[in-house]
Amino acid sequence: MKKLITFLAVSSILAAITFAAPTEGVDVALPSTTPVTLDDFEEGMFFNAVRDAFDSFGNVFGKTQFSDSQSTKKRWDGKGNCGVLHWMELPGNKEQGCFYECTDLIEQNWSSYGYISFVINNPNDYPVSLQMYTKTGSNWAWGNTDTPSIEPGTHTVVFKLNSNVMKDAKKILAVGFALFMEGKHPASEVYIDDITLWTKK
């Protein structure tokens, strides 16, 4: 009986260590489940600048440019030849960012998905921040992730799709992401590619 208790205790510790591994964040291991491409930007640009990307006078803070040039690919490690270059000039605070949103979703039921990942390249010499959000249900309820800091370089960011992010997982009407400049800097370029959903199992 004593050996069994010891075995169970050790098993519990090992299980705790296993499940303590981070499942979301910057440059964490990708989920081991099935990936489903949400947008790799190989067929066009479906995310439009919205919300705080404009100031009260209608001036655009954030501009979105679709590019399929080889030079874009060489600057970072996204798949294929196409990515999205985001240019932003912001006051330098986390209250005002550039928001990019897609309402033309092929799949609106995300109840079988547990994670979403982005490949982001920050070619600047200072960090920027990334947030992902959804609008769901008949009242377009807003849900969003945390806003991790993205250091210079190419990174993969994984977000967990929980109830804070998706208020109604069976009716996703819009998905978007926001970029925030950390501190006051000249206009920034940020590249996004390979937005991928990951199944729960």
Side-chain angles (χ1 to χ4, degrees), residues 44-113:
M45 176 60 196
F46 301 99
F47 283 79
N48 298 308
V50 295
R51 202 168 175 259
D52 290 345
F54 301 89
D55 65 14
S56 58
F57 300 101
N59 298 313
V60 179
F61 276 133
K63 295 180 181 179
T64 308
Q65 175 183 327
F66 176 69
S67 175
D68 61 0
S69 67
Q70 290 295 323
S71 60
T72 298
K73 181 183 177 185
K74 288 178 182 177
R75 293 186 64 173
W76 59 313
D77 298 325
K79 298 176 187 174
N81 297 322
C82 301
V84 180
L85 162 63
H86 299 280
W87 175 89
M88 57 182 183
E89 186 172 5
L90 295 169
N93 60 62
K94 287 196 174 184
E95 283 71 49
Q96 189 148 36
C98 295
F99 288 71
Y100 304 94
E101 186 173 297
C102 176
T103 55
D104 186 20
L105 298 171
I106 296 175
E107 177 62 75
Q108 291 189 330
N109 185 345
W110 287 16
S111 58
S112 62
Y113 299 112

Side-chain angles (χ1 to χ4, degrees), residues 19-166:
F19 288 106
T23 56
E24 64 177 338
V26 181
D27 295 331
V28 299
L30 289 171
S32 59
T33 56
T34 304
V36 177
T37 299
L38 179 63
D39 202 340
D40 58 8
F41 304 103
E42 296 300 308
E43 297 180 4
M45 176 60 196
F46 301 99
F47 283 79
N48 298 308
V50 295
R51 202 168 175 259
D52 290 345
F54 301 89
D55 65 14
S56 58
F57 300 101
N59 298 313
V60 179
F61 276 133
K63 295 180 181 179
T64 308
Q65 175 183 327
F66 176 69
S67 175
D68 61 0
S69 67
Q70 290 295 323
S71 60
T72 298
K73 181 183 177 185
K74 288 178 182 177
R75 293 186 64 173
W76 59 313
D77 298 325
K79 298 176 187 174
N81 297 322
C82 301
V84 180
L85 162 63
H86 299 280
W87 175 89
M88 57 182 183
E89 186 172 5
L90 295 169
N93 60 62
K94 287 196 174 184
E95 283 71 49
Q96 189 148 36
C98 295
F99 288 71
Y100 304 94
E101 186 173 297
C102 176
T103 55
D104 186 20
L105 298 171
I106 296 175
E107 177 62 75
Q108 291 189 330
N109 185 345
W110 287 16
S111 58
S112 62
Y113 299 112
Y115 299 90
I116 188 170
S117 64
F118 294 75
V119 174
I120 177 171
N121 178 34
N122 174 12
N124 306 290
D125 59 0
Y126 49 84
V128 297
S129 297
L130 173 71
Q131 181 188 80
M132 176 261 177
Y133 67 89
T134 66
K135 295 178 182 178
T136 66
S138 56
N139 61 345
W140 294 68
W142 175 281
N144 62 268
T145 65
D146 291 333
T147 312
S149 181
I150 311 298
E151 295 294 329
T154 300
H155 305 276
T156 298
V157 185
V158 179
F159 293 116
K160 192 170 184 178
L161 294 175
N162 54 32
S163 57
N164 292 326
V165 181
M166 304 185 299

